[in-house]
Amino acid sequence: MKSRTIAVENSTWNNIGDAFYQLSIQRFFSKAFPDATVVSMDGPIERAFKLGTEKFRSKPFEADYYTNADHYVLSGPIIGRNFMRIYAPRIKSYLASGRSYSLISVRCSVTGSALEEVREFLEQHPPRAIYTRDPSSLEKLQGLAKMATAGPCFAFFVRMLSGIPEVKPSSPYLAVSVYTSREPRITCSASSGLSGATVEWQSQPNARFWRYLQHFEWLNRYQTRHEVHGYEFVRPVQGHTPFPNKLFGKPNAYISYNPLCYLGVLKSSEAVISDRVHAGVTGLSFGRPVNIRQIDGRFDLFSGLPLQADGPFWRLDPDFITASHDRTLEWVKKIDIS
């Protein structure tokens, strides 16, 4: 009988990119600690859902507070402006009950006095391990855990997950997932292929205006097939929304509740073009060329990687991912989960 339980935060999938690294983290801990029971745990409700004003709601049941485990694994870009309000109370409850926790594949976006507050809290309530998905976050959190390192986001290791389907329509396709602006214009000649393509991003609209303008994207004409090479355009929608016009306004829109099915669509594409960082990460994991538009600081997770230029695309040597995976697994095995 397995004597210890590890709970991995693995539920905030309204942005399906969270599922990519959370599923991978859960797999790592299952591999690293075969004698432990590794379970999924809900993330904070506020991380995945809009609660609205207190006038129109009752207090929800937050199951993560009551998930029984010996060690808790928290992940993602959580060390931001809401960390002290949302995550600090949970960490206090773990430690008060004699349990432990780790921060894995995290990003720290706070600076100045907010960073000082986070550092003071973590000094008083230290994690067993910190793994950041970019070097700058590690620099901010240095000295707060006995084990601390930076490395690729765990989403780079999704190709090791089991259960990912192959998606093979009659024509090869490009996976185009864009949500902060209009899609780029993609052109390529008959002789040069994707390496000689151009990807022309349009100017970035004001974020506040775009919240409204995107409701009218269905009025625009979007390509369903590239006129030269015959590539189809498949459009993964990574953020769930109650508005059908945003979900299905573009031709060949793809949405699912199953992250493994998303991974199948990205894996089976010829290239990934997106402003979603985790669409690019997973595309690289599967050896696909990717073109990712830089929107904000989350783009840092590509820093320090040996990316290779291929026309307007990036590629990443599969051997680098394999070596990083093996090195990271050995690091995880050393975490004290007692």
Side-chain angles (χ1 to χ4, degrees), residues 53-107:
T53 61
E54 292 187 12
K55 180 179 179 180
F56 301 109
R57 63 175 170 84
S58 297
K59 184 175 176 60
F61 178 76
E62 302 215 47
D64 58 305
Y65 270 111
Y66 311 105
T67 300
N68 186 36
D70 301 291
H71 187 80
Y72 297 86
V73 181
L74 310 177
S75 64
I78 60 175
I79 308 179
R81 59 188 176 88
N82 292 321
F83 178 79
M84 293 302 298
R85 182 173 59 83
I86 296 178
Y87 278 93
R90 289 165 164 80
I91 291 171
K92 286 182 178 179
S93 72
Y94 303 153
L95 299 182
S97 301
R99 296 168 290 179
S100 59
Y101 77 101
S102 294
L103 299 171
I104 302 297
S105 201
V106 296
R107 174 174 180 260

Side-chain angles (χ1 to χ4, degrees), residues 71-210:
H71 187 80
Y72 297 86
V73 181
L74 310 177
S75 64
I78 60 175
I79 308 179
R81 59 188 176 88
N82 292 321
F83 178 79
M84 293 302 298
R85 182 173 59 83
I86 296 178
Y87 278 93
R90 289 165 164 80
I91 291 171
K92 286 182 178 179
S93 72
Y94 303 153
L95 299 182
S97 301
R99 296 168 290 179
S100 59
Y101 77 101
S102 294
L103 299 171
I104 302 297
S105 201
V106 296
R107 174 174 180 260
C108 178
S109 59
V110 291
T111 58
S113 60
L115 176 59
E116 291 177 9
E117 184 181 16
V118 168
R119 284 189 59 87
E120 182 179 356
F121 174 80
L122 293 177
E123 285 173 354
Q124 296 173 359
H125 306 85
R128 293 290 172 84
I130 296 176
Y131 179 111
T132 69
R133 67 190 199 185
D134 60 271
S136 63
S137 291
L138 179 62
E139 185 176 346
K140 293 177 181 178
L141 303 175
Q142 197 66 262
L144 297 174
K146 290 182 178 179
M147 289 183 60
T149 191
C153 174
F154 273 57
F156 277 101
F157 308 128
V158 291
R159 77 176 194 207
M160 285 78 169
L161 292 173
S162 61
I164 300 173
E166 276 195 285
V167 180
K168 294 295 182 185
S170 57
S171 300
Y173 63 90
L174 307 178
V176 182
S177 180
V178 179
Y179 78 110
T180 63
S181 67
R182 301 204 186 282
E183 289 183 7
R185 178 171 175 77
I186 304 165
T187 59
C188 55
S189 68
S191 58
S192 60
L194 288 174
S195 296
T198 60
V199 180
E200 301 175 53
W201 289 95
Q202 303 186 42
S203 60
Q204 189 72 23
N206 177 280
R208 181 176 297 179
F209 290 154
W210 185 247

Side-chain angles (χ1 to χ4, degrees), residues 207-237:
R208 181 176 297 179
F209 290 154
W210 185 247
R211 288 177 58 189
Y212 302 98
L213 289 174
Q214 62 186 333
H215 283 280
F216 300 98
E217 283 199 283
W218 61 274
L219 293 171
N220 298 314
R221 292 189 175 184
Y222 285 94
Q223 290 175 287
T224 58
R225 185 181 297 272
H226 195 276
E227 63 274 9
V228 176
H229 285 278
Y231 294 126
E232 290 193 48
F233 288 72
V234 174
R235 295 176 167 91
V237 181

